[in-house]
């Protein structure tokens, strides 16, 4: 996945997010972040401001678009290929495999009932997280996006029902 450093504006946004978390009284036990430098730097800034410990979670890396990495993502060919969730982009990773990675993390987190996690990652990961918690049509999934440093809260449904 394409990686680029956090800009000065990005550092300011991360600091504003950390301030927002502190002022809102948001409590989390741990921050999990993508290994991509912008997400990692954002998480570290938030961690410093909030006191929430953070650690890299390699499975939160963005989907690898293979031959389209570094450019070509505005082409009609890419748009059509992207709608095929099992296509691996000639050396990249399919959306299904990317979703499987992220769903596995969420399933692990779900088992840890007493902890709250803050996930810092890029938009593609946010799209997958949203799809874990909410049913989405293909078009909704493809169009889903969050704003930079937007905070979203998801809660796992209580699945502690005893079997008869």
């Amino acid at each position: 996945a394409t990686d680029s450093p956090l800009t000065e504006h990005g550092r300011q946004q991360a600091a504003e997010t950390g301030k927002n978390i502190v002022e809102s009284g948001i409590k989390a036990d741990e921050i999990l972040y993508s290994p991509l430098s912008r997400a990692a730097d954002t998480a570290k800034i938030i961690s410093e401001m909030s006191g929430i410990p953070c650690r890299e979670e390699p499975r939160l890396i963005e989907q690898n678009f293979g031959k389209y990495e570094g450019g070509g993502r505005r082409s009609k060919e890419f748009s059509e290929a992207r709608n095929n969730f099992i296509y691996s982009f000639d050396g990249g990773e399919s959306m299904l495999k990317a979703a499987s990675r992220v769903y596995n993390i969420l399933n692990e987190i779900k088992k840890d009932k007493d902890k709250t996690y803050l996930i810092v990652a890029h938009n593609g990961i946010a799209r997958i997280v949203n799809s874990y918690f909410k049913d989405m049509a293909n078009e909704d999934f493809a169009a889903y996006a969050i704003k930079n440093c937007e905070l979203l809260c998801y809660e796992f449904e209580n699945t502690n029902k005893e079997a008869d």
Side-chain angles (χ1 to χ4, degrees):
T2 304
D3 197 6
S4 58
L6 198 59
T7 63
E8 188 55 41
H9 179 68
R11 296 184 81 67
Q12 290 170 352
Q13 287 180 314
E16 287 172 28
T17 303
K19 182 179 175 189
N20 185 12
I21 288 169
V22 171
E23 290 177 354
S24 301
I26 295 171
K27 301 288 183 213
D29 296 290
E30 188 172 26
I31 300 170
L32 303 178
Y33 61 86
S34 164
L36 294 178
S37 63
R38 283 177 293 158
D41 290 346
T42 298
K44 290 170 187 172
I45 290 168
I46 293 170
S47 176
E48 287 172 19
M49 295 183 74
S50 66
I52 302 168
C54 66
R55 72 176 159 93
E56 180 180 301
E57 172 45 80
R59 295 172 293 175
L60 288 173
I61 196 162
E62 278 290 299
Q63 178 182 2
N64 181 327
F65 289 111
K67 68 179 182 179
Y68 297 102
E69 284 297 322
R73 292 196 208 169
R74 287 185 166 66
S75 70
K76 183 178 181 194
E77 178 189 356
F78 175 73
S79 294
E80 290 173 1
R82 189 173 172 208
N83 289 333
N84 183 346
F85 296 137
I86 60 171
Y87 183 61
S88 65
F89 302 97
D90 296 336
E93 177 184 35
S94 73
M95 178 54 69
L96 285 179
K97 286 183 181 173
S100 177
R101 279 192 283 112
V102 176
Y103 279 21
N104 284 338
I105 296 166
L106 296 171
N107 285 334
E108 290 167 16
I109 289 172
K110 185 177 182 178
K111 291 176 187 172
D112 211 351
K113 295 173 183 34
D114 298 328
K115 285 191 173 181
T116 299
Y117 291 88
L118 178 63
I119 295 175
V120 178
H122 295 268
N123 206 50
I125 300 302
R127 177 182 299 124
I128 294 169
V129 169
N130 192 65
S131 75
Y132 181 93
F133 289 94
K134 299 177 180 176
D135 285 337
M136 302 171 79
N138 288 349
E139 298 78 21
D140 297 332
F141 182 85
Y144 184 82
I146 63 169
K147 297 179 190 105
N148 278 349
C149 298
E150 182 176 3
L151 292 171
L152 300 174
C153 179
Y154 296 97
E155 293 194 26
F156 295 103
E157 291 182 21
N158 187 354
T159 56
N160 293 343
K161 297 174 184 167
E162 289 187 29
D164 290 329

